[in-house]
Amino acid sequence: MKKTLSLFLAALMLLSSLAACSNNAQNAGGDDPSSQAGPSNATQAETPEPAETEEEKITAESTLTIEDFGGRDYRMISTNQDNRHVDIIAEELTGSTLNDLVFNRNTKVASLYNVTMSAEQADYGSINNMVQKDATSGDQSCDLYLTNYTAHPLGTKGFLYDFYQLPSVKLDMGWWDQNEKADMTVAGKLFLAIGDISPTELLTSECMLFNKRLFDDSSITYPYSDALEGTWTLDKCFSIADGLTTDLNGDGEIKVNDDLFSLTCWSDYPAALLYGAGGDFSHVNGEGFVELDIDLEKAVNIYDKIYALLIDTQANYEVGEHERSFRVFNEGRAYFCGITFQKIELFLRDMEDDYGVLPNPKFDEGQDRYSTCVSGAGSMVVVPVSCNDPAFVGAMMEAMAAVSYDMITPDLINVLASTRNVRDEESSQIVQIIIRSRNFDTARMHDVSIDGYVENQLRAKSKDVASYFAKNEKMWGKLIDKVNDSYAKLAEGS
C-alpha cells in the first residue's frame, strides 16, 4: 500500500511541476522558476501548457544562498495525520518512490548546508500545543513545524512568525503555493505557508471520478472534452446522472448496500461542489483585510443545482459510514464519485473497473475557471514567534522547498505511466488543471464556515437557504470582524 501511495503521490507531484512550469513560462518569459499560479481569482487557461525544456530550465537550487552551518542539527516535526509525516521522515533508501525521493532531498540539503537532520511525527493538536508553548516560553523545540489549518488561531493570537519577515524565504517562487499566499495574506501578514516542501499536501485536492465500465454499458460519452474545454458544469453533470440510480434487486427500495447510484460521496463533498461552482464567500480587499461576499441569490442558485445532483438523482449522499461512501464506487455501483486524491489511494486501490478523473463542475460555462476545494487538513508550515534564529530557519526552509522542487518533482516522470490511479492521458491533463486551480477561501480557512449551509440543508433535504442565511449572517460578520481586528492589532505592533 505504501508503495502504491508513493506512486500516486509521485504522479501528482509531477503534474504539479508541469503546471508550475507552464505558469512560469507564461508569467516570466519561460526561464524563471517563479510563481506557479496567480491569485485565486485570476483567470487561468483551462488546458495544460507544455513544460519547460531542459535548455530553458533554471534550477531552484541555483536561487539559493548556500551557507555552512557547521554540522548544526536541523530539527523537524510533521503531523502524522493521513500518513503526512512521509513529507520529512525517510531514514533510509527502501525502494518506495516517495520515501527515496524524500531521503535524497534530505541528504542533498544536509550536504549543501552542512547540517544533521532529525525528524519526528505527532498529531497536529500536539504540534499546535508545542508551537504555542514555544511562543509563550521563548523556546524553539524544532526548526521546521508542519501542522494544518487549525494553527490559524495561533497566528491571530500573535504566536506565529510572519513569513514576509522570515529571511531567505522567497514566497513569490514556484515552490510556494501562490493561491494560498494570495488568499491567506491579511493585513500584509502570512502565518501559514504551503509549498513543494510538503508533497502530500497536494492530496487534499477534491475531484470527481467516473466509472468507465458503467459509462460504456450505458453508451454515455466520457465527459473529457467538456472538462478539457472548460465547459464541464453542474447542469451537464446532472444531465448525465439523472435517471441512473437503479433498484438492482427489484425490492422497490434504493438501498446503499444493494443498488446502483448516480453518484456517491461523503457528507463533506457538497462543499467541494460549492467552491467548484465559484461559491466563495470572502476575499482580501484593497485594504488588506477579509471582506465577506455574501450573495444570497448566488448561494441559492448553486445550492439548487447541488440539491438536484445529490437529492433529485437519488445519489448515495453518505452521512453515516465514511468508508461506505467510497466502497459503493469501488464495487462498481456508482457512475460518479466525489473524492480527494488521498482517498483514491485509501479506498480505491483495489478497484477493478477503470475510472477517469474530472474537475468538480463549474456553475455554468460563464465561470472563468475551475476551482478546486482544498481540505484544511493538508500540511502547512508554521514558525513560532519565539524563533531565536530566523536566518537559519528561513534559509533551511527555503532550501527544503526549493530542493524539493528540483529533486522530488521533475524526477518522477517515469512514474506517471505506471500509477494505477491516473489511468489515461485525459485524466493526467485534468489532474494538472485540478492542482493548479486550488482554492483557499479566506473566511473558511479562518473557521468561518459559511459553506456549512450546504451540508446542513442537504441533510434535512431542505431548500430554505434564505432562512439559514438570515439566521447566521450577522454571526458570520462578527467572526470576520474579530479576525480583522486581530490582524489589525498585529499590524500596528509590527
Side-chain angles (χ1 to χ4, degrees):
M1 182 178 97
K2 290 182 179 178
K3 183 155 187 177
T4 308
L5 175 59
S6 298
L7 293 176
F8 181 53
L9 282 167
L12 292 181
M13 290 305 295
L14 167 65
L15 297 169
S16 176
S17 174
L18 294 175
C21 289
S22 60
N23 279 329
N24 293 342
Q26 181 179 357
N27 296 331
D31 61 358
D32 179 17
S34 56
S35 57
Q36 63 183 2
S40 62
N41 59 356
T43 301
Q44 298 180 6
E46 300 293 1
T47 23
E49 300 172 7
E52 296 168 311
T53 65
E54 285 300 315
E55 290 76 19
E56 293 174 325
K57 182 179 178 182
I58 296 176
T59 66
E61 182 186 332
S62 68
T63 70
L64 299 173
T65 301
I66 308 300
E67 302 179 55
D68 186 338
F69 288 115
R72 181 172 174 176
D73 188 22
Y74 182 60
R75 303 159 299 173
M76 304 179 289
I77 189 168
S78 172
T79 172
N80 54 17
Q81 181 185 18
D82 298 327
N83 206 37
R84 291 194 172 95
H85 58 279
V86 299
D87 284 332
I88 60 169
I89 297 178
E91 298 178 352
E92 60 183 1
L93 293 172
T94 64
S96 177
T97 305
L98 183 61
N99 174 87
D100 290 359
L101 289 166
V102 169
F103 178 86
N104 289 334
R105 177 204 60 188
N106 290 355
T107 301
K108 175 72 169 180
V109 173
S111 175
L112 284 174
Y113 288 83
N114 191 14
V115 298
T116 301
M117 291 188 171
S118 59
E120 58 181 301
Q121 58 178 295
D123 66 81
Y124 62 85
S126 297
I127 296 173
N128 291 346
N129 290 336
M130 176 191 296
V131 171
Q132 181 171 343
K133 182 178 179 181
D134 286 353
T136 303
S137 66
D139 292 334
Q140 185 177 336
S141 300
C142 292
D143 302 300
L144 176 67
Y145 304 77
L146 283 168
T147 177
N148 64 23
Y149 88 110
T150 58
H152 268 297
L154 298 179
T156 55
K157 292 176 182 177
F159 295 123
L160 299 182
Y161 208 101
D162 179 10
F163 274 94
Y164 289 108
Q165 303 302 316
L166 197 61
S168 300
V169 175
K170 302 169 185 175
L171 291 172
D172 289 336
M173 303 305 269
W175 37 96
W176 298 109
D177 191 307
Q178 299 304 299
N179 287 349
E180 189 267 348
K181 184 188 74 170
D183 292 339
M184 299 313 301
T185 296
V186 181
K189 296 185 176 298
L190 181 68
F191 295 119
L192 289 85
I194 294 172
D196 283 30
I197 196 170
S198 168
T200 65
E201 206 279 330
L202 294 174
L203 288 175
T204 60
S205 302
E206 301 266 7
C207 67
M208 179 178 280
L209 306 179
F210 70 94
N211 183 307
K212 289 185 175 181
R213 177 185 60 80
L214 292 177
F215 269 57
D216 292 341
D217 290 348
S218 300
S219 299
I220 301 172
T221 302
Y222 299 166
Y224 284 142
S225 59
D226 279 321
L228 291 170
E229 292 168 8
T231 58
W232 177 236
T233 65
L234 284 169
D235 284 342
K236 288 185 177 180
C237 188
F238 174 79
S239 70
I240 295 173
D242 190 29
L244 293 180
T245 294
T246 305
D247 178 9
L248 291 179
N249 60 11
D251 66 356
E253 297 181 61
I254 300 298
K255 297 179 180 178
V256 64
N257 292 320
D258 300 330
D259 295 316
L260 177 66
F261 292 90
S262 58
L263 181 149
T264 184
C265 67
W266 177 239
S267 62
D268 61 0
Y269 182 66
L273 292 173
L274 169 69
Y275 286 108
D280 293 42
F281 292 103
S282 66
H283 70 279
V284 178
N285 62 25
E287 286 71 48
F289 290 96
V290 187
E291 185 174 315
L292 290 181
D293 297 322
I294 295 180
D295 182 334
L296 181 58
E297 182 180 1
K298 179 181 178 181
V300 170
N301 288 340
I302 294 175
Y303 178 78
D304 284 346
K305 291 180 185 293
I306 295 173
Y307 187 99
L309 182 60
L310 298 182
I311 306 300
D312 292 345
T313 72
Q314 294 182 283
N316 178 42
Y317 175 50
E318 184 70 63
V319 298
E321 295 182 26
H322 180 251
E323 183 175 348
R324 184 171 63 185
S325 62
F326 308 110
R327 189 168 66 245
V328 168
F329 191 73
N330 189 324
E331 294 173 356
R333 293 190 295 107
Y335 285 80
F336 290 104
C337 179
I339 199 166
T340 66
F341 288 136
Q342 178 228 353
K343 291 174 183 176
I344 290 175
E345 171 54 33
L346 288 177
F347 300 117
L348 305 182
R349 60 182 175 270
D350 59 348
M351 183 172 173
E352 294 184 2
D353 290 346
D354 280 343
Y355 53 84
V357 181
L358 299 168
N360 291 318
K362 295 180 177 181
F363 177 74
D364 58 29
E365 293 185 21
Q367 185 176 322
D368 62 353
R369 63 188 288 267
Y370 292 113
S371 178
T372 302
C373 182
V374 178
S375 167
S379 295
M380 297 183 175
V381 184
V382 299
V383 179
V385 72
S386 58
C387 177
N388 53 40
D389 194 346
F392 175 69
V393 169
M396 290 299 299
M397 186 180 298
E398 182 71 5
M400 290 285 285
V403 174
S404 294
Y405 184 92
D406 283 343
M407 291 188 66
I408 293 183
T409 308
D411 289 350
L412 301 172
I413 192 165
N414 295 324
V415 177
L416 181 59
S418 61
T419 182
R420 292 185 61 206
N421 296 303
V422 182
R423 301 190 180 193
D424 51 48
E425 178 57 31
E426 293 91 344
S427 291
S428 299
Q429 295 178 54
I430 290 166
V431 172
Q432 296 179 45
I433 293 171
I434 291 169
I435 289 175
R436 72 181 182 189
S437 302
R438 285 151 51 86
N439 173 294
F440 301 84
D441 183 79
T442 315
R444 179 173 180 259
M445 296 300 288
H446 284 86
D447 266 341
V448 184
S449 301
I450 303 172
D451 59 284
Y453 84 93
V454 180
E455 182 176 344
N456 181 288
Q457 297 298 89
L458 283 174
R459 283 174 178 259
K461 294 187 178 180
S462 169
K463 287 192 173 183
D464 189 9
V465 173
S467 294
Y468 188 88
F469 273 73
K471 180 180 178 180
N472 292 285
E473 189 168 353
K474 186 175 181 180
M475 177 265 293
W476 294 329
K478 288 182 178 179
L479 290 174
I480 290 298
D481 288 344
K482 186 176 179 180
V483 169
N484 284 331
D485 288 345
S486 296
Y487 276 103
K489 291 177 183 177
L490 291 169
E492 289 174 3
S494 58

